[in-house]
């Protein structure tokens, strides 16, 4: 084997995917890297070129893999993704990962069905070798569903044992991330929430959801039985997102699904998900841009009709479903307008889920700024949420912002005492025109010349103050102040009184000081 039959595929200039071998302990009927033919097992490339080889002829030796690593590293590649076949069956995998760590790859990830990792000795040796992530291929939450997708009996039981072993190793301190990769097809998509719940209950916390893609095997099958109407995914997807909001340690990456499948009130999930894929916020489409040949307003119309995508704020950040999926879609593509959706939530009627939707959206406030959501919309959303919540501590975070409340509490803890003084200053009383969302330098000059209501003393001390937070609603400063018995920390909060009254803010500050300090 020369290594030419299984090249490294560069999906970005800095990341490569390597097929270490085609041998596998599963027989997924839709496999993308192995084609089942009358002539035997072939790679997709060889199948298209009418070349026949035995499966073992595709296996790269450890020495060949090391040479490939050397070439990739010399070309500036920083991350490698090892796939198969089943890479954990390769006898040199552990040594290869060690070699990659010594070469200085910043990330080595391994995609596996997990069956071999029920062997604790192998699992321990592999995670100690230093891969950053083990990606576990998951197709179901029951033996029937998962085993049918892998084409072998016992795969679900093996994966269950492997997850138990890996979670235990991680809890013992193994420096590896575990990712459950859920691939959806016609037989399992309706069970998406149950799959996440099942495997989260067994210790997995991070998941990625993707759609099954068309392969040489699905084309040979010809039945189309693995593909489904994406319109039917909306309900299971929304049930999953409801579950995610109830489980703080659960992370689900949806960046390989079209974002327009997500309901408008889940905008917080969309904005959070953009940060889960390093290429998204750099304006790099994941695969190809949606084509824009319209066949009806906002409708897919079989394999065409993406005029709606041209009007979507996420048109450069979203995946394009493949033809096998597109021609089955019966719904409508709804373009995202981030500013429009945020304004509707801030100013419209609130339903039972609006409180959580607003809370989630404000956790992604900086993304709202990136998408041009107006200052008054963000302020109104924050103030409205503050009026709706009842818990003092949550009100503190709502008014001061997560960062403001945390940094104020951290400063209090470092100071070793509660503040000797808390001053609340209404912006209108100081002649300031909020909102205060720009750099400190922009409004510092105004504050220096403004006067405090009491005694006419100026705010010149703010030049020496420390800015703890620069949130749209409030500005928090701290400075050392002499007091009987020693110096303490004085806090000055300038707030925009168009959106919140002093009584609300006093409650928020009191909650932060007493519960966080």
């Amino acid at each position: 084997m020369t290594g030419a039959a299984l090249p490294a595929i560069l999906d970005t200039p800095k990341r490569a995917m390597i097929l270490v071998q085609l041998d596998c302990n599963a027989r997924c009927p839709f496999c993308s890297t192995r084609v089942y033919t009358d002539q035997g097992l072939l790679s997709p490339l060889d199948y298209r070129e009418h070349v026949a080889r035995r499966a073992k002829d595709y296996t790269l030796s450890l020495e060949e893999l090391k040479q490939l690593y050397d070439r990739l590293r010399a070309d500036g590649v920083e991350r490698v993704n090892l796939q198969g076949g089943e890479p954990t069956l390769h006898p040199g995998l552990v040594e290869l990962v060690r070699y990659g760590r010594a070469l200085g790859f910043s990330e080595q990830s391994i995609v596996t069905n997990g069956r071999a990792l029920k062997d604790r000795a192998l699992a321990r040796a592999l995670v100690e070798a230093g891969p950053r992530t083990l990606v576990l291929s998951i197709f179901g939450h029951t033996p029937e569903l998962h085993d049918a997708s892998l084409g072998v009996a016992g795969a679900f039981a093996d994966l269950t044992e492997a997850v138990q072993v890996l979670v235990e190793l991680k809890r013992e301190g193994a420096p590896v991330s575990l990712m459950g990769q859920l691939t959806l097809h016609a037989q399992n998509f309706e069970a998406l929430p149950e799959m996440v719940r099942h495997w989260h209950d067994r210790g997995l916390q991070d998941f990625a959801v993707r759609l099954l893609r068309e392969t040489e095997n699905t084309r040979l099958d010809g039945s189309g039985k693995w593909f489904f109407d994406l319109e039917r995914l909306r309900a299971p997807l929304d049930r999953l997102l409801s579950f995610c909001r109830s489980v703080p340690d659960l992370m689900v990456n949806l960046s390989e699904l079209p974002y327009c499948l997500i309901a408008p009130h889940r905008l917080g999930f969309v904005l959070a998900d953009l940060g889960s894929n390093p290429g998204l916020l750099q304006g790099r489409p994941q695969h190809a841009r949606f084509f824009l040949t319209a066949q009806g307003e906002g409708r897919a119309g079989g394999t065409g009709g993406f005029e709606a995508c041209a009007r979507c704020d996420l048109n450069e950040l979203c995946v394009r479903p493949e033809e096998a999926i597109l021609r089955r879609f019966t719904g409508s593509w709804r373009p995202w307008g981030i500013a429009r959706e945020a304004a509707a939530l801030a100013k419209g009627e609130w339903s039972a889920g609006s409180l959580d939707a607003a809370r989630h959206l404000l956790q992604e406030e900086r993304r709202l700024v990136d998408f041009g959501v107006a200052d008054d919309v963000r302020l109104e959303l924050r103030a409205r949420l503050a009026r709706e919540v009842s818990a003092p501590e949550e009100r503190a975070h709502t008014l001061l912002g997560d960062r403001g409340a945390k940094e104020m509490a951290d400063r209090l803890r470092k100071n070793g005492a509660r503040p000797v003084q808390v001053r609340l200053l209404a912006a209108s009383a100081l002649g300031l025109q909020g909102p205060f969302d720009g750099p400190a330098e922009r409004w510092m000059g105004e504050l220096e010349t403004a006067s405090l209501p009491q005694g006419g003393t100026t705010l010149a001390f703010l030049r020496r103050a420390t800015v703890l937070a620069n949130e749209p609603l409030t500005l928090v400063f701290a400075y050392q102040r002499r007091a009987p018995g020693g110096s303490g920390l004085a806090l000055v909060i300038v707030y925009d009184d168009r959106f919140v009254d002093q009584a609300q803010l006093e409650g928020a500050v009191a909650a932060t000081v007493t519960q966080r300090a």
Side-chain angles (χ1 to χ4, degrees):
M1 176 70 184
T2 65
L6 292 177
I9 302 172
L10 292 177
D11 55 359
T12 75
K14 298 292 185 180
R15 183 175 66 182
M17 180 186 74
I18 300 174
L19 304 179
V20 299
Q21 63 175 28
L22 289 193
D23 281 338
C24 190
N25 51 6
R27 192 178 175 85
C28 302
F30 41 71
C31 182
S32 62
T33 58
R34 295 150 37 100
V35 185
Y36 311 121
T37 72
D38 294 338
Q39 292 78 38
L41 186 70
L42 305 178
S43 77
L45 178 62
D46 286 345
Y47 172 76
R48 288 190 289 271
E49 295 183 354
H50 306 289
V51 177
R53 291 188 180 92
R54 295 173 299 172
K56 67 179 182 180
D57 291 336
Y58 292 102
T59 300
L60 290 165
S61 69
L62 176 60
E63 187 58 35
E64 288 171 320
L65 286 168
K66 286 184 175 181
Q67 291 173 4
L68 181 55
Y69 261 35
D70 289 338
R71 294 199 300 272
L72 292 172
R73 197 72 188 96
D75 288 341
V77 171
E78 297 175 357
R79 296 176 290 161
V80 291
N81 178 271
L82 303 177
Q83 300 189 23
E86 175 50 45
T88 60
L89 299 181
H90 194 291
L93 180 64
V94 172
E95 176 59 30
L96 177 66
V97 174
R98 288 198 196 101
Y99 186 73
R101 183 172 63 178
L103 281 180
F105 283 112
S106 63
E107 177 182 330
Q108 297 178 89
S109 57
I110 302 169
V111 180
T112 172
N113 62 38
R115 298 189 69 192
L117 297 179
K118 67 180 183 180
D119 181 335
R120 179 176 288 271
L122 173 61
R124 182 181 292 277
L126 183 58
V127 299
E128 290 179 350
R132 180 173 176 179
T133 307
L134 295 180
V135 180
L136 302 168
S137 298
I138 297 175
F139 295 91
H141 64 299
T142 65
E144 295 77 15
L145 199 54
H146 187 77
D147 289 359
S149 297
L150 265 70
V152 291
F156 182 82
D158 290 344
L159 178 60
T160 300
E161 288 187 52
V163 167
Q164 180 178 351
V165 168
L166 293 168
V167 169
E168 289 175 356
L169 290 173
K170 187 171 175 62
R171 287 172 179 167
E172 292 171 7
V176 65
S177 297
L178 304 177
M179 168 76 75
Q181 180 173 271
L182 309 175
T183 301
L184 303 183
H185 54 64
Q187 279 72 55
N188 70 358
F189 77 93
E190 292 181 305
L192 173 60
E194 290 74 25
M195 285 193 283
V196 172
R197 184 187 297 269
H198 175 89
W199 293 105
H200 179 266
D201 287 346
R202 279 146 189 81
L204 297 184
Q205 296 176 314
D206 295 337
F207 296 87
V209 182
R210 62 192 296 267
L211 299 174
L212 179 68
R213 297 171 182 168
E214 196 162 34
T215 67
E216 297 296 342
N217 287 308
T218 61
R219 294 187 184 96
L220 285 171
D221 175 270
S223 68
K225 65 182 181 180
W226 297 106
F227 303 104
F228 63 96
D229 181 359
L230 280 183
E231 182 67 16
R232 298 172 59 197
L233 182 57
R234 295 187 193 272
L237 184 57
D238 201 62
R239 296 203 316 273
L240 169 63
L241 298 184
S242 292
F243 175 63
C244 289
R245 289 298 288 164
S246 68
V247 185
D249 68 347
L250 175 61
M251 296 292 295
V252 178
N253 182 325
L254 303 173
S255 64
E256 290 202 38
L257 298 180
Y259 284 127
C260 56
L261 296 177
I262 299 174
H265 68 284
R266 304 292 189 187
L267 177 57
F269 274 103
V270 174
L271 297 181
D273 199 70
L274 294 178
S276 66
N277 188 314
L280 290 184
L281 291 180
Q282 299 169 7
R284 179 180 61 81
Q286 292 192 88
H287 301 296
R289 285 193 61 180
F290 287 95
F291 53 89
L292 305 177
T293 304
Q295 295 182 4
E297 180 69 15
R299 291 190 60 83
T303 59
F306 282 96
E307 186 273 337
C309 298
R311 295 182 283 108
C312 180
D313 287 351
L314 306 179
N315 70 330
E316 288 285 350
L317 307 176
C318 196
V319 298
R320 176 190 183 280
E322 294 185 338
E323 298 299 320
I325 297 174
L326 291 178
R327 59 176 172 261
R328 289 169 172 80
F329 185 59
T330 61
S332 298
W333 303 108
R334 182 187 55 78
W336 276 103
I338 306 302
R340 180 186 68 243
E341 303 291 356
L345 181 60
K347 300 175 181 179
E349 293 292 327
W350 276 25
S351 62
S354 298
L355 185 67
D356 186 64
R359 184 184 291 113
H360 196 182
L361 194 56
L362 284 172
Q363 291 171 357
E364 303 299 328
E365 187 165 3
R366 293 177 185 174
R367 300 260 191 266
L368 294 177
V369 175
D370 293 338
F371 281 99
V373 176
D375 296 338
D376 61 336
V377 171
R378 303 197 320 273
L379 291 170
E380 186 169 346
L381 190 60
R382 187 181 289 278
R384 185 170 183 180
L385 180 59
R387 291 194 297 269
E388 296 287 341
V389 299
S390 56
E393 188 171 355
E394 183 175 359
R395 181 169 294 174
H397 280 269
T398 300
L399 295 175
L400 302 179
D402 286 341
R403 184 182 60 170
K406 180 181 184 300
E407 292 190 7
M408 185 167 76
D410 288 346
R411 182 58 64 94
L412 293 174
R413 277 192 288 268
K414 291 177 182 177
N415 188 61
R418 294 180 180 177
V420 298
Q421 184 184 63
V422 177
R423 307 291 298 273
L424 303 179
L425 305 179
S428 61
L430 299 174
L432 302 178
Q433 301 296 317
F436 312 111
D437 61 348
E441 293 78 7
R442 192 174 77 186
W443 38 258
M444 185 64 76
E446 299 180 59
L447 289 177
E448 285 182 347
T449 59
S451 294
L452 283 168
Q454 300 178 19
T457 54
T458 67
L459 296 180
F461 65 83
L462 289 178
R463 183 178 293 279
R464 300 184 301 277
T466 300
V467 180
L468 294 184
N470 184 16
E471 299 290 336
L473 189 63
T474 59
L475 304 174
V476 184
F477 303 88
Y479 65 102
Q480 292 298 118
R481 177 183 172 85
R482 294 270 177 198
S487 63
L489 191 69
L491 301 177
V492 178
I493 301 174
V494 182
Y495 65 96
D496 192 332
D497 47 320
R498 296 176 302 168
F499 296 95
V500 62
D501 60 36
Q502 185 163 327
Q504 285 182 307
L505 193 55
E506 285 174 348
V509 172
T512 302
V513 170
T514 58
Q515 298 183 30
R516 293 281 183 172

